[in-house]
Amino acid sequence: MRHVTALRTGLSALLILGAWTAAGPSTASAAPADSAELPASAALLSAMQRDLGLTEGQARTRLAEEKAATALEPKAQRAAGSAYGGSWFDSATGKLTVAVTDAGKAAAVRAAGAQTRVVEHSAAQLDATMKRIDALSAPDGVASWRVDPAISRVVVNVVASAQGDNDVRAFVAKARKAGPVTVERTAEAPNTFAAGTVGGDPYYTGNVRCSIGFSVHGGFVTAGHCGGTGQQVRGWDNSYIGNFQGSSFPGDDYAWVNVGSGWWTVPVVLGWGTVPDQLVRGSNEAPIGASICRSGSTTRWHCGRVLAKNETVNYSQGAVHQMTKTSVCAQGGDSGGSFISGDQAQGVTSGGWGNCSSGGETWYQPINEILNRYGLRLHTA
């Protein structure tokens, strides 16, 4: 009995009902797969209908369109070359759009199967602007900053109540000098989603409860703010699981824990007995605009959309770079839990603002960066 529960805890925090991934107006070089071929459970479709306002037929169609757009994105980027300005999935058209700085490259991108938009700045130029802003010291009233390929600008998000603060205004002035920048307001400042100890949840470090992300060979990945290197990890029954083998926060928000003492890993995202457990088959990255789902030890599973990539989030503990923002809600204790799109791992929950009653936004640390940083191999089916 303990081993069965330990297994589920090890897969832990997340059943991510996700869409297959895609971002921005997506266009596939091949026709989208028949939606009947997609492994979409009734529970997954129900969650997408609830959180994205879709009918069952629309959810099935969107999964197929996003899967095709995800497969197309790297091919379209290669076709754009140095003129590549980013890409996104448009749920209204079901197409992938690729931004290009050279109209002469548009034909090659369209031949690959994507729609195009001519923009002023390349992805490389926008990334360089991000790096210059990352080097600044941000006050608490600055929530985050990110690249927005659709407008070819870096967007600095300022907490509405702090927009008149002198330190915030000084930061924005410096950011504008770093490159093409626009400023937007956000309702609240971001916070991490760790929580105090509550019985019956996935894992604990000291008096902090967090959620397990994805199984890797030898352990699992999770959020860095949940524990420091060497810190002991306990399971739902207070038994020893392992220790943090590596952890980074702030700057990054990722960590990995070794697994032993009767616990083991499997390539599954936990369904909590309500949604079927999801097999993990890879980590292909979903584009901006794609639907995505999250599961954690507090709020179980919720769905939404990928809103932005390469966003720097300014937590009170310090800035965290290269995050992905979503419209999915989360609450305390969901930290470290999985974001998944279809059967593709996307990342581990970091933080956000709001809750699952009134709504909000959540950021995750992309999974591939974590795997590369620690030389880990995702456990896949």
Side-chain angles (χ1 to χ4, degrees):
M1 177 75 151
R2 173 200 165 174
H3 284 184
V4 171
T5 307
L7 170 65
R8 294 175 65 80
T9 302
L11 301 177
S12 134
L14 308 104
L15 146 101
I16 271 176
L17 306 166
W20 282 92
T21 158
S26 76
T27 307
S29 54
D34 186 333
S35 59
E37 297 175 2
L38 295 172
S41 68
L44 185 155
L45 293 170
S46 176
M48 291 183 70
Q49 292 174 67
R50 178 196 66 198
D51 294 336
L52 298 175
L54 305 175
T55 65
E56 179 178 343
Q58 289 170 332
R60 289 184 180 276
T61 298
R62 181 156 176 172
L63 286 171
E65 292 171 342
E66 291 181 347
K67 183 179 181 181
T70 297
L72 170 63
E73 189 174 31
K75 180 180 178 182
Q77 181 174 350
R78 288 193 297 271
S82 61
Y84 179 72
S87 60
W88 61 94
F89 177 81
D90 183 353
S91 60
T93 63
K95 303 296 183 181
L96 183 74
T97 293
V98 175
V100 292
T101 57
D102 181 355
K105 289 287 188 179
V109 174
R110 287 194 295 269
Q115 297 180 156
T116 58
R117 177 184 296 179
V118 177
V119 296
E120 185 177 357
H121 305 288
S122 68
Q125 291 172 322
L126 295 175
D127 288 345
T129 300
M130 279 291 296
K131 289 182 179 180
R132 287 189 284 271
I133 299 176
D134 283 344
L136 302 176
S137 178
D140 291 342
V142 177
S144 63
W145 50 98
R146 71 180 190 277
V147 169
D148 187 336
I151 63 173
S152 198
R153 293 286 189 278
V154 170
V155 177
V156 175
N157 291 290
V158 173
V159 178
S161 61
Q163 60 184 335
D165 180 84
N166 287 338
D167 290 340
V168 170
R169 295 173 65 182
F171 178 88
V172 169
K174 292 177 182 178
R176 291 190 187 280
K177 293 179 181 179
V181 164
T182 188
V183 177
E184 294 182 359
R185 291 183 298 176
T186 187
E188 299 179 31
N191 295 289
T192 55
F193 283 129
T197 300
V198 176
D201 288 304
Y203 81 88
Y204 306 93
T205 56
N207 66 342
V208 171
R209 167 171 59 86
C210 281
S211 299
I212 294 170
F214 292 95
S215 291
V216 296
H217 289 273
F220 66 82
V221 295
T222 187
H225 70 263
C226 291
T229 302
Q231 194 165 1
Q232 187 179 107
V233 174
R234 309 187 314 277
W236 65 274
D237 59 353
N238 206 39
S239 67
Y240 171 73
I241 296 178
N243 295 76
F244 279 85
Q245 300 300 302
S247 179
S248 180
F249 178 81
D252 308 294
D253 193 6
Y254 50 58
W256 82 280
V257 175
N258 69 313
V259 167
S261 303
W263 297 74
W264 66 91
T265 65
V266 291
V268 173
V269 166
L270 186 63
W272 299 99
T274 301
V275 180
D277 294 347
Q278 301 289 103
L279 288 175
V280 177
R281 299 187 185 278
S283 58
N284 293 329
E285 186 179 347
I288 296 171
S291 57
I292 192 170
C293 299
R294 179 200 58 74
S295 177
S297 62
T298 299
T299 59
R300 303 306 192 248
W301 65 90
H302 286 273
C303 298
R305 295 184 303 111
V306 177
L307 299 178
K309 296 184 182 182
N310 191 21
E311 182 154 4
T312 296
V313 183
N314 190 36
Y315 294 127
S316 60
Q317 301 94 327
V320 178
H321 309 296
Q322 296 180 325
M323 304 283 274
T324 298
K325 180 164 69 175
T326 77
S327 63
V328 186
C329 67
Q331 294 177 197
D334 286 329
S335 279
S338 325
F339 270 88
I340 192 169
S341 181
D343 57 8
Q344 300 296 304
Q346 298 299 307
V348 300
T349 303
S350 173
W353 62 269
N355 56 54
C356 289
S357 296
S358 60
E361 295 176 336
T362 300
W363 286 269
Y364 65 80
Q365 181 84 65
I367 183 69
N368 290 326
E369 181 181 354
I370 307 172
L371 301 177
N372 292 335
R373 169 62 180 83
Y374 294 118
L376 300 171
R377 187 157 58 95
L378 187 68
H379 195 166
T380 57

